[in-house]
Amino acid sequence: MRWIKISLGLAVIGIIGFFTVRELLMDPMYFFELFLGGLTRGSIYALIALGYTMVYGIIQLINFAHGEIYMIGAMTALIVASVLGMWGWNTAVIAILAFVFAIVYSCAYGFTVEKIAYKPLRNAPRLSALISAIGMSLFLQNYVMLAQTPDYLPFKSLIPDFKFWEPFAHIITSVEITIIITTVIVMILLGLLIKFTRIGKAMRATAQDKVMAALLGINVNNVISATFVVGSATAAIGGVLIACHVGQINFYIGFLAGLKAFIAAVLGGIGSIPGAVLGSLVLGISESYFTGYFYSEYEDVFAFTILVIILIFRPSGILGKHDTQKV
Amino acid sequence: MAIKNQIKQSLIIAFWFMILTFPIMVIKVNTIQNTIDFRWANLLWVGIVTFFASMVWNYFLRRNEAQKKKEIDDDIPLIHRLLQNDRFRRPFLGVVAAFFLAYPFVFPMYHTSIMISALVYVMLGLGLNIVVGLAGLLDLGYVAFYAVGAYAYALLNLHFGLSFWVVLPMSALLGTLFGVMLGYPVLRLRGDYLAIVTLGFGEIIRIVLENWDTFSNGPRGIADIPPPTFFGHYFDQHDTMIYIYFIVTGLVLMTIFFVNRLENSKIGRAWIALRDDEIACQAMGIDKFKTKLTAFALGATWAAMGGVVFAAKTSYINPMSFTIWESITILCVVVIGGMGSAIGVIAGALVLILLPEYLRAVSEYRMLVFGALQVIVMVFKPDGLIKSVRKVYTFNVQEKAIHEQTHT
């Protein structure tokens, strides 16, 4: 088994290396553009994947409704921006308010979903919580579809084309660079939050051992709620940014994005925050190269294939801890 | 006083939901005509509905808590108790059998057709129950094997003209083969890693079917799949439906029989043991990998057979029938019905498939209701509608004492 793995690994690395070098030499500019495209894509995945991985780290639940939270963030931003736009407000103010409302509402939805669908199931079998999450996801999708519209809605970008960015705009648009920079900032803030604040420490403690954390005076329910709120906030930022990038949204965008982000989180090692970021970047960049050089219709197949290959070599993801089972 | 507090709490919740749903329920923007539509009436409805819903919700939640404290853990569901009782079991099974025998002749074709789908889901549910309920492997890509079965029938018939009865056993074998092939590399993964990888396989098979035009005819699908024959004889449309109905009923009976026998066999007990404690199980000398692989492959077998019946019934298949939502529906059948319990799975399939069909009257809202119901059932009955009961071997103390006495 071992030599099969090693030779398979070497073959994969060899093929990837060969293509990389060849394409890099043939058309360096195109190669670089694909890299930046992948970076943008990976940043969005990372913003969504964070919510998955944080929730999983604390209550070991695949939060299927997370993609819907992201969709609701984008939807709220669209509604707020169009209402204010029709009232003739300043575009900068509109952009800020749309972001703020999207984040606040996503947090509120994340909080409420946890209270309704997951909290009563804290001690139930894990699959029951998963089905409850799936039900919630279906409910939210249909709720937005019925209350708004099943069609695609055009989303006018909230991020203007910056004047000072014009010389570089042919390589990477100002929306894309905003996405990458915002993601970096969010990651740093989140890292600081987890590492140094009281609630961050409480989160880490709860993730390690819920009972012990409760014994030490941490209110576990509040910590779980806080995790959902933080995860929803990053998802909302991701939602608004991707809507600006793509230019249209509908009630169903959350599902596929959520799925991809979840793959990214698993790829990096679910439960680990740096893992989610790394996994997202790996997935985003490799997808970008794959669609750029090979077939775009097999994009999702490729994403899953990477996942399977990586999990065969590292069964707990790239940065996942290989926890030994104890009796 | 308590009532007053509850009303106050529900009012706060209603108010919270009114704020929460405000942008999506009330404002409707038309970006093309630049008009904003404020639907204030919706706000009122949200308030009223959530107020009463939260009252009911809290009441039942409290009742559930109170019941949990009272009861000891040996609450066997009513249906199991009744089925264990010999005096009840015979007439009950008789009535059920009579109902299913008479069903296609009493009800119109439309209802027969719906019942066929429900019964196919019973088969799929029982198959997935082996994987998820008994062996404890979370499989989110079960639909892949269903697709394998359906396409096996469609393609083998199209190219080689093989009939339903030839393909049915072949597809069962093919399903097993695919189960082994997909299971082999991934069954070493644990828990949710397995779930996401199986989900991936399900999607891969669907996308390949969608894009590989020369093989599967792409998104256009395959039409004119013939219905099953009766010793080379075709029925007219109406009789075909009844014929398929009885085929499915037969297959379901066979499935129930097999699953029941498997559950209490050596391998079935190994699955349950593996689900409950992997390490203890390995210490007892059970080959973990082989046992898991058997469960996975056997589950795939039923899915493939279900696929053949599905293709024969609809006479047209395309990749859209095999999306991830299909896997999720089958998983819901198993979990909502009651994991590991065959009766539960049957009940789950009938409820989950028949309910949305008959909710077509309110077709717009049916998926909304369906999602909400999933959450509600899980919150109030986390073990499923009919939970499984472990087989108990009764041990007669008196008899043993006598036995010992005679030997000493």
Side-chain angles (χ1 to χ4, degrees), chain A residues 1 56 60-62 64 72 75-76 78-80 82-83 86-87 105 108-109 111-112 115-117 120-121 124-149 153-154 252 255-256 259 262-263 266 269-270 297-298 300-301 304-305 307-308 311-312 314-317 320 323-327, chain B residues 16-36 38-39 57 61 68 132 138 140 184-186 188-197 199-201 203-204 206-208 211-212 277-280 282 288 324-325 328 331-332 335-336 339 364-365 367-372 374-375 378-384:
Chain A
M1 203 56 212
Y56 191 91
Q60 281 80 45
L61 164 76
I62 304 175
F64 245 87
I72 284 173
M75 214 46 145
T76 313
L78 171 79
I79 291 167
V80 171
S82 352
V83 169
M86 281 172 210
W87 288 349
Y105 267 96
Y109 271 95
F111 176 82
T112 315
K115 283 274 177 277
I116 294 176
L121 288 166
R126 280 182 50 206
L127 263 184
S128 308
L130 181 71
I131 298 293
S132 180
I134 291 168
M136 209 64 212
S137 162
L138 255 182
F139 180 84
L140 288 176
Q141 272 176 23
N142 283 280
Y143 151 71
V144 172
M145 184 191 83
L146 292 170
Q148 292 290 322
T149 164
L153 290 167
Y252 199 63
F255 184 70
L256 196 64
L259 197 60
F262 184 65
I263 296 174
V266 174
I270 192 149
E297 62 266 35
Y298 284 109
D300 297 344
V301 171
F304 282 115
T305 314
L307 179 77
V308 173
L311 284 186
I312 286 174
R314 291 196 58 92
S316 323
D323 46 355
T324 41
Q325 264 181 308
K326 280 177 242 156
V327 184
Chain B
W16 168 253
F17 271 95
M18 278 157 84
I19 298 176
L20 194 66
T21 52
F22 180 77
I24 287 172
M25 285 298 278
V26 176
I27 306 173
K28 182 160 185 172
V29 191
N30 191 331
T31 37
I32 296 157
Q33 289 166 349
N34 270 349
T35 51
I36 314 171
F38 283 97
R39 299 166 294 180
W57 181 274
L61 219 54
K68 238 179 243 163
V132 179
L138 180 49
L140 286 179
Y184 192 75
V186 301
R188 284 167 217 280
L189 301 172
R190 281 207 295 130
D192 295 321
Y193 290 98
L194 180 69
I196 191 77
V197 170
L199 191 158
F201 274 133
E203 282 293 277
I204 288 175
R206 183 184 64 80
I207 297 169
V208 168
N211 289 304
W212 193 2
D277 193 332
E278 278 197 1
I279 292 180
Q282 278 173 298
K288 180 174 115 184
I324 175 184
W325 286 109
I328 289 176
L331 186 67
C332 288
V335 179
I336 289 185
M339 259 200 297
E364 276 188 336
Y365 297 96
M367 288 324 269
L368 189 84
V369 174
F370 189 62
Q374 280 178 9
V375 176
M378 283 298 108
V379 168
F380 293 106
K381 280 203 163 287
D383 291 314

Side-chain angles (χ1 to χ4, degrees), chain A residues 185-207:
Chain A
I185 294 172
V186 170
M187 295 300 146
I188 291 170
L189 286 180
L190 194 73
L192 293 177
L193 177 91
I194 299 285
K195 192 110 200 175
F196 295 112
T197 63
R198 234 180 120 75
I199 188 77
K201 282 179 189 160
M203 278 176 190
R204 281 184 290 151
T206 313

Side-chain angles (χ1 to χ4, degrees), chain B residues 143-158:
Chain B
V143 78
F145 307 120
Y146 186 44
V148 165
Y151 268 88
Y153 179 40
L155 289 173
L156 286 175
N157 186 276
L158 190 70

Side-chain angles (χ1 to χ4, degrees), chain B residues 245-265:
Chain B
Y245 173 84
F246 281 115
I247 292 174
V248 184
T249 317
L251 284 173
V252 166
L253 280 179
M254 191 190 77
T255 316
I256 294 173
F257 176 75
F258 266 98
V259 170
N260 213 356
R261 302 302 287 174
L262 272 173
E263 208 179 316
N264 296 318
S265 71

